[in-house]
Amino acid sequence: MPHFAEIILPLALPKRTYTFSIPGDLVADVRPGVRVEVQFGKAKLYAGLVETVHQNQPDYKTKNIISLLDEVEVVSPQQLKLWDWMADYYCSTLGEVMLAALPGHLKLTSETSLVLNPLFDDAGDIHLENDEYLIAEALRIQKEISIEDARKILEKKSIFPVVQSLLNKGVLFVREELQEKYKPKKVSAVRLAEPYRSNETLLSEGFNLLEKNERQAEAMMAFLQLARNQAFVKKSEVLAAAKVSDSVLKSLEKKGLLEIYEREVSRISDYKNDLDVSPELTAQQQKALLEIRQIFLEKDTVLLHGVTGSGKTQVYVELIRETIAAGGQALYLLPEIALTTQIISRLQKIFGNDVSVYHSKINYDERVELWQSAAAGKPVLLGARSSIFLPFQNLKLIIVDEEHDPSFKQFDPAPRYNARDSAVFLANIYGAKTLLGTATPSVESWQNTLLKKYGLVSMPERFGGLQMPEIQTVNLTDAHKKRAMQSIFTTQLIEELQATLARGEQAILFQNRRGYSPILECEICSQSTNCKNCDVSLTYHKQSDSMRCHYCNYRIEVPKICPACGSGKMVLRGFGTEKIEDEIKIFLPTAKIGRLDFDTASTKTKLTDILNDFEERKIDILVGTQMVTKGLDFDNVAVVGVLGADSLVKFPDFRSGERAFQMLTQVAGRAGRKQKQGKVIIQAWNPSHPVLQEVFRADFQGFMSRELNERKLFHYPPFYRLVGLQVKHKNENTAKQAADFLAKWLRERLGNRVLGPSQPGISRVRGYFLQDILVKFEKSASVLANGKRLILQHVEHLKSQANFRQVVISVDVDPV
Ligand code: ADP
Ligand code: ZN
Ligand code: ZN
């Protein structure tokens, strides 16, 4: 009997799998979960994944599998189950899911680029076969070759096994995105100056130098106290412990008692010797933990609604501990790994080397190692959305931290999955439990608690009896009338910032727009400077003195005269983080200002440095985009200012109210997290907007019930399910025609569930004209499943028409 294998190919192909025949000598070894080398299309080679093996001869001639790449399975049946569900639910193909799920070293094609491992030197004791040696030599000369080049060098039909063996031996890498260079991280530290460092007995004399300066004495005492138990003392620790400002330490340095120096600390530390003892749980945390355990007996998913600073992390930690003790694995999902270095180091301090962190920026070696360690049962895995694809061995708990965060949703390319929702399905596959945690639950998750699908546990109090921040809204219309404005700041905000800095405390200013000004326009004819590829105005960036498109990176010099009417009166309108940074310096000339946005934090290293500088108090005021709203825990932030609150609530999208409420509540939560009540100042033209009022009153219930009512009334999630279709083409008419056809066909079968096509607010991006179709499905699994199938059929049908072949159509299930 001939044998066949169903193989998933790493391509966006319409069929789920493709059938290949298994040659006799491989029959014993080809089985689900291993990769094989196959030829597909003209002469392209791929590492395909075996899904099933069978003996049903298809009615066409099948190609043979060329070779076997793995001795042991690299993908488990549970993973395949997730892939299958995801492809089906999110209207993508299994190949696309495979591309998203597998790390680079498991995705080989003819085009894959190979590079030599810089650490490899052949004087070592790695034995290379002849073929392997030839490839290594070629790489030494050419630095980078494709697998196809390698095949030509060896003049062989089968090449993947040689490549795989070289990968396994660590001789070469698969080249992925360029990796960041390692840069040591530095902190300001404090130590005794000489001669006291060598001879502490002299210190009592040293103290005489302080005379009666209490603040200096306090700082000294705090330093000595810290130094007793630590290898080194950070400057920020002394400042926090003694509650003094920088200048006190400077005086001590002048008097020759202390020395401030820069110290390198490792970025990826080995925490074996530096483990934290867990603090005792508060009554609120204990209660939450008991409730969660109780609910987990009968439900699989719990939403933990705990206000900012309520101490949710410690609850997660306890649950993870219990999971590990019972021999299970825990997955801790975070929205954006780069912004959460604090959480990562907290967990590493608690779980030491039991934790691994998985994200797209880790280097090749770490990724291979991590993938293997997950399969070997690593107890705690922490990562952004793609970590749901790890090969878990015994997954028992998933924590989704900041479950409301839209970045859990993958936008492009397909599969357009939501990692939070996929996590719930993943947990189901393994018989694991899921805990969703946030201070600002998503409308979907909240509704699930109302429907009793998810359990609900609340933590309404902040840790340590801290008060919630005091929120004030300032009416910009009034302030302008009363001339109580200083540039873009209200006098009230400026005064608050001055007082904050005088007390040695820090502040955050939030504006959800980067660059200097979003609009440069002609004063005479009002023509704005737009992108040539997109339907948006170019943003002025002062640092690079250029006009830039935030959608396609198109960039031009700043026009001095209006291209439309020739006038020389060009004016900037509106403001972004760059301008805030610039202007605030005028009013607070001595303040140290830092900026956190996509431009300043383009790499993880830069981002970490900014956050460290803020923590170390090298920055007094941190200006930033929504990056500053996420999960940062700084204990010295007294004031948070929000500059453009109106634009958040006015955004034309059914989710804008939800997003605005979440962002503003989250950024407000950065204020006054430790010693005392913080203050939040929201500047708005229309502070009476219901969402701003709800934020102002910290009225989550009010917000949620109003939002749910509106969603119900206008047929939006969570009462209806949305599937969005986007039709793109370089020609405006073709895009419109294609969208018209598609909408018409869909309407014939799905009736008035189909809305559109309509031109989105930004109607052209990167040279493509866009048309949107939105389909609203009532909540019924069968209606949704049929509807999605119909949509895919019609998309295929449209694309098979000669004039629409180049039309790009993306399907987005549950858009966020
Ligand atoms: P959330 O994530 O709910 O906003 P965190 O978990 O960050 O809150 O906790 C807020 C602060 O309170 C943190 O600085 C944390 O170290 C501290 N904290 C929380 N629980 C405890 C505890 N049981 N003992 C000591 N400190 C705690
Ligand atoms: Zn553009
Ligand atoms: Zn003009």
Side-chain angles (χ1 to χ4, degrees), residues 374-421:
K378 188 86 179 178
V380 189
L381 294 145
L382 200 150
R385 60 171 182 255
S386 64
S387 54
I388 59 170
F389 295 118
L390 283 168
F392 303 101
Q393 195 223 17
N394 186 24
L395 184 64
K396 284 294 164 236
L397 174 71
I398 306 180
I399 308 270
V400 186
D401 197 5
E402 312 293 354
E403 67 88 23
H404 64 279
D405 198 295
S407 66
F408 279 122
K409 173 88 177 185
Q410 163 133 327
F411 184 62
D412 238 356
R416 297 180 176 81
Y417 66 98
N418 188 320
R420 173 197 63 209
D421 302 336

Side-chain angles (χ1 to χ4, degrees), residues 530-538 548-555 764-767:
N530 293 334
C531 178
K532 78 172 166 66
N533 308 314
C534 313
D535 169 30
V536 293
S537 67
L538 296 173
R548 276 155 55 184
C549 174
H550 289 181
Y551 286 79
C552 73
N553 279 328
Y554 176 68
R555 175 197 274 248
R764 193 170 62 114
V765 171
R766 293 176 185 268

Side-chain angles (χ1 to χ4, degrees), residues 142-339:
Q142 299 182 43
K143 300 283 178 268
E144 180 166 343
I145 62 174
S146 71
I147 289 190
E148 179 58 21
D149 298 335
R151 195 182 63 80
K152 285 183 185 143
I153 292 166
L154 298 186
E155 296 178 325
K156 281 199 165 168
K157 184 164 178 247
S158 167
I159 178 70
F160 285 15
V162 180
V163 171
Q164 191 61 47
S165 168
L166 285 165
L167 285 169
N168 294 348
K169 289 178 179 175
V171 176
L172 46 87
F173 285 169
V174 167
R175 197 183 72 94
E176 296 173 279
E177 71 276 24
L178 281 180
Q179 274 149 22
E180 279 181 47
K181 289 218 181 65
Y182 174 81
K183 186 172 153 257
K185 173 183 137 185
K186 291 200 167 143
V187 294
S188 290
V190 180
R191 63 185 170 204
L192 288 174
E194 290 294 8
Y196 308 108
R197 196 169 351 138
S198 319
N199 190 352
E200 285 204 21
T201 51
L202 298 176
L203 257 186
S204 51
E205 279 167 46
F207 264 92
N208 293 337
L209 295 173
L210 301 179
E211 287 150 10
K212 292 220 168 66
N213 192 318
E214 258 174 49
R215 287 163 46 101
Q216 293 179 9
E218 258 165 43
M220 260 329 267
M221 296 305 290
F223 163 76
L224 291 171
Q225 182 74 26
L226 288 162
R228 203 172 300 156
N229 302 314
Q230 298 175 198
F232 69 96
V233 179
K234 289 198 252 174
K235 194 171 103 180
S236 56
E237 292 175 316
V238 181
L239 297 180
K243 303 195 178 79
V244 294
S245 72
D246 228 19
S247 58
V248 177
L249 283 186
K250 290 227 177 77
S251 315
L252 286 169
E253 201 176 20
K254 264 198 209 125
K255 290 186 176 163
L257 279 164
L258 291 181
E259 198 176 289
I260 300 169
Y261 67 107
E262 293 292 304
R263 190 192 156 97
E264 259 184 37
V265 293
S266 126
R267 281 181 192 279
I268 309 161
S269 326
D270 189 338
Y271 283 94
K272 256 195 208 128
N273 304 317
D274 190 19
L275 296 187
D276 268 5
V277 240
S278 267
E280 222 173 287
L281 294 186
T282 63
Q284 178 177 250
Q285 284 165 332
Q286 255 161 9
K287 181 165 169 281
L289 204 53
L290 279 174
E291 288 173 8
I292 294 168
R293 286 197 201 108
Q294 198 61 40
I295 299 173
F296 273 161
L297 295 178
E298 42 184 279
K299 286 186 171 57
D300 292 329
T301 314
V302 170
L303 174 69
L304 175 61
H305 177 208
V307 296
T308 51
S310 57
K312 294 184 285 295
T313 319
Q314 208 52 48
V315 175
Y316 305 151
V317 164
E318 291 307 319
L319 289 168
I320 294 172
R321 221 195 289 277
E322 288 165 18
T323 305
I324 303 176
Q329 276 177 305
L331 168 65
Y332 192 128
L333 276 176
L334 284 161
E336 274 155 307
I337 209 81
L339 288 168

Side-chain angles (χ1 to χ4, degrees), residues 521-527 561-570:
E521 75 177 22
C522 169
E523 214 167 8
I524 306 299
C525 74
S526 299
Q527 179 72 40
I561 47 174
C562 171
C565 76
S567 108
K569 295 201 164 162
M570 303 295 282

Side-chain angles (χ1 to χ4, degrees), residues 635-663:
D635 55 8
N636 192 40
V637 176
V639 168
V640 168
V642 178
L643 288 131
D646 305 276
S647 63
L648 295 177
V649 290
K650 276 195 316 211
F651 196 74
D653 180 88
F654 79 93
R655 280 191 205 277
S656 65
E658 180 183 3
R659 291 280 170 263
F661 184 86
Q662 288 164 349
M663 256 192 248

Side-chain angles (χ1 to χ4, degrees), residues 729-737 759 763 769-771:
H729 195 273
K730 296 219 157 154
N731 179 293
E732 188 169 8
N733 277 329
T734 311
K736 178 85 174 77
Q737 271 177 10
Q759 207 177 41
S763 64
F769 288 89
L770 312 181
Q771 289 284 331

Side-chain angles (χ1 to χ4, degrees), residues 419-430:
R420 173 197 63 209
D421 302 336
S422 304
V424 173
F425 186 84
L426 178 70
N428 188 267
I429 295 175
Y430 283 89

